[in-house]
Amino acid sequence: MKKGRKWLILLVVLALFASLATACGGDGKEEVKATGVGNGKHGDIKVEVTFKDGDIKNIEVLNHKENEELADPVFSQMKDNIIASNNVDDVDVVSGSSATSKGYKEAVQDAVKKSGVKLNAKTKEAIKTEKEEPKQTYDVVVVGSGGAGFSAAIEAAQAGKKAVILEKMPAVGGNTLISGAEMNAPNNWVQKNLGITGDSADLMYEDTLKGGDNKGQPEMVRILADQALPSAEWLRDEIKVEFLEDELFQFGGHSKKRALIPKGHTGEELIKKFKLKAADLDIPIKTNMKAEKILTDDSGKVTGIEATDINGDTITFNANNGVVLATGGFGSNVEMRKKYNSEMDERYMTTDAAGTTGDGIVMAEAIGGALTNMENIQTYPVCDPETGVISLVADSRFNGAILVNQEGNRFVEELERRDVISKAILAQPGGYTYQLWNGDIEKISNTTKVHKDEYEQLKKEKMLVKADTLEEAAKFFDVDPKALKQTVDKVNQYAKDGKDPDFDHRAGLVDMSKGPYYMMKAVPSVHHTMGGLVINEQAQVMNTDNQPIENLYAAGELTGVIHGTNRLGGNAISDIITFGRIAGQEVSK
Ligand code: ADP
């Protein structure tokens, strides 16, 4: 016994010595490292935290699956704040990236707990960014860093102008970043690869006007349709955006398959490449910089922007040539939604980025800008019922997935316009739908693999099930298995006949007799605001007397003249790039 205990003591001493050796830095002070895990938006975030003498010295992210652009300010700004204040619990989340912030915080808290380190209390305030010059002068001041803002700033810089981008959020990208970013372009090169013929700008013009119930301005829709292909080629050749070469989308309301798909099936590809191009052209991007007011001289000519930075200081951006507003829509501003359309109230969540609160519209209106189509607010039919976030896994709808209600019945043509499908869903018991598809459809659409993180998240939330049989899928959601089978039997028959007498599915239904089955619950969510500023063909903002406001331009979702009552899928990117470029070229003249 005695001998055994002696050995034990010796072992403990040796282990202690060894651990001290690894914990000591070269200067002899104790350095401790610990890892921690937190649950982010798309799964685990794992960090390694380094401590020295009770202080947090460094935080390294070991792995994560978050959106890189949205995670960027969390992994830098929040990290700096935690280290500066030596405090994890009270550090603010980064707005617009709250789920990632929460996961990051959890991970660091976990590491602190595991390390056993008692953190020194510090009175030091969380660090703030460097002071901005209170008065700055550029040729072109672009407000908003989505696709429209980047396009405008890049065109301006290429025209030899000194341009700056102001972005109120900590991360760039807006709705463009988090969208699927498919882009309609008639007669595009992928159509040629796939042998799709008969498309034309005329056809896209007609589809777009009709899709918006002829409430878009024909001359503006003409520009959209004519420029969609050159805009796509510009993205491909100038910005180096990679598009899939062998796949296209056909969104509802389009008579041809004409939507190009960016690599990764999201706007991350666009924003990543835009950032690189902006860096190449030395365009400063000022994040956490909120434009508050458009400045004008006595004659009403626009002279710049007054903004507020992260410290709460007022910064004036003078614009020699002019200002381009590209602040996006107002989907995330419930009060503004209700002001223009009382139906779009709190019952609806939104798919939109947190920064899309209509600021540009309000700022331009304050200096006499005219508004149009403001009541037209689009809901996206299939979104996560827990968060309102758009479901990209549900893109299997474009390859034949069907929509059924709680009774297991189809109730709408699955490729109808978004507003029609959304209204039809809200009219079903409970105001939700189930989207159903099988392994054969999945093989083509591949959405559970391409959007794997979303797929896993939906399964975790019990909003999606993969089942070997229809019966199992039906039971998971308490749908009558017999009714669901009857519906699918009918679909199989219609697929065979090449005719859907119930809802006239425009692409033709697909046989779903074989499992496995994917079934997911979904609700409509506010997705796009069609209304906004009136602009002319040069992207100048018009006043209420239908005269251009001198030196003020606008492009993107904050304009209201293109989409009428309803924006067709894939038309937003064509719009923001086309008119963003026009605004950038025109303001530089
Ligand atoms: P679009 O598709 O029209 O380019 P996005 O939604 O992609 O629009 O981008 C708009 C961007 O503008 C968002 O990143 C949003 O945070 C930003 N933004 C909105 N209001 C302001 C403001 N007042 N100051 C600076 N940026 C703003």
Side-chain angles (χ1 to χ4, degrees), residues 143-149 166-169 171-177 271 289-292 326-329 353-360 363 555-558 572 576:
V143 188
S145 69
L166 314 183
E167 169 54 58
K168 74 170 172 180
M169 302 303 285
V172 297
N175 275 347
T176 308
L177 174 73
I271 295 298
M289 185 67 77
K290 180 171 186 265
E292 306 275 2
T327 53
T356 57
T357 48
D359 300 9
M363 284 190 284
E557 197 178 336
L558 89 162
I576 66 176

Side-chain angles (χ1 to χ4, degrees), residues 294 336 339-340 359-371 533:
I294 300 168
M336 193 162 168
K339 175 175 169 187
Y340 292 103
D359 300 9
I361 298 174
V362 175
M363 284 190 284
E365 194 187 17
I367 61 157
L371 309 184
L533 299 175

Side-chain angles (χ1 to χ4, degrees), residues 48 100 193 328 333:
E48 182 182 74
T100 305
N193 291 347
N333 186 337

Side-chain angles (χ1 to χ4, degrees), residues 462-479:
K462 301 213 177 322
M463 290 295 149
L464 185 149
V465 68
K466 180 181 178 187
D468 288 335
T469 63
L470 260 184
E471 193 181 2
E472 195 187 328
K475 281 189 176 155
F476 186 86
F477 288 115
D478 231 0
V479 172

Side-chain angles (χ1 to χ4, degrees), residues 477-507:
F477 288 115
D478 231 0
V479 172
D480 176 12
K482 267 197 219 125
L484 191 64
K485 183 160 183 324
Q486 256 175 19
T487 299
V488 172
D489 284 347
K490 257 204 248 177
V491 165
N492 297 339
Q493 187 58 46
Y494 296 165
K496 211 168 172 188
D497 301 344
K499 207 163 173 260
D500 167 22
D502 291 345
F503 298 102
D504 199 16
H505 194 283
R506 73 195 64 197

Side-chain angles (χ1 to χ4, degrees), residues 270-331:
L270 273 68
I271 295 298
K272 229 193 269 169
K273 300 288 168 66
F274 270 137
K275 270 175 78 179
L276 289 175
K277 189 73 185 179
D280 253 13
L281 293 166
D282 286 330
I283 300 171
I285 301 172
K286 306 214 176 259
T287 51
N288 292 305
M289 185 67 77
K290 180 171 186 265
E292 306 275 2
K293 197 171 151 192
I294 300 168
L295 302 171
T296 53
D297 66 12
D298 293 343
S299 70
K301 185 169 98 180
V302 169
T303 57
I305 286 286
E306 191 174 284
T308 311
D309 74 1
I310 195 169
N311 302 317
D313 294 335
T314 298
I315 314 290
T316 303
F317 291 90
N318 296 310
N320 294 330
N321 282 60
V323 167
V324 178
L325 298 175
T327 53
F330 57 97

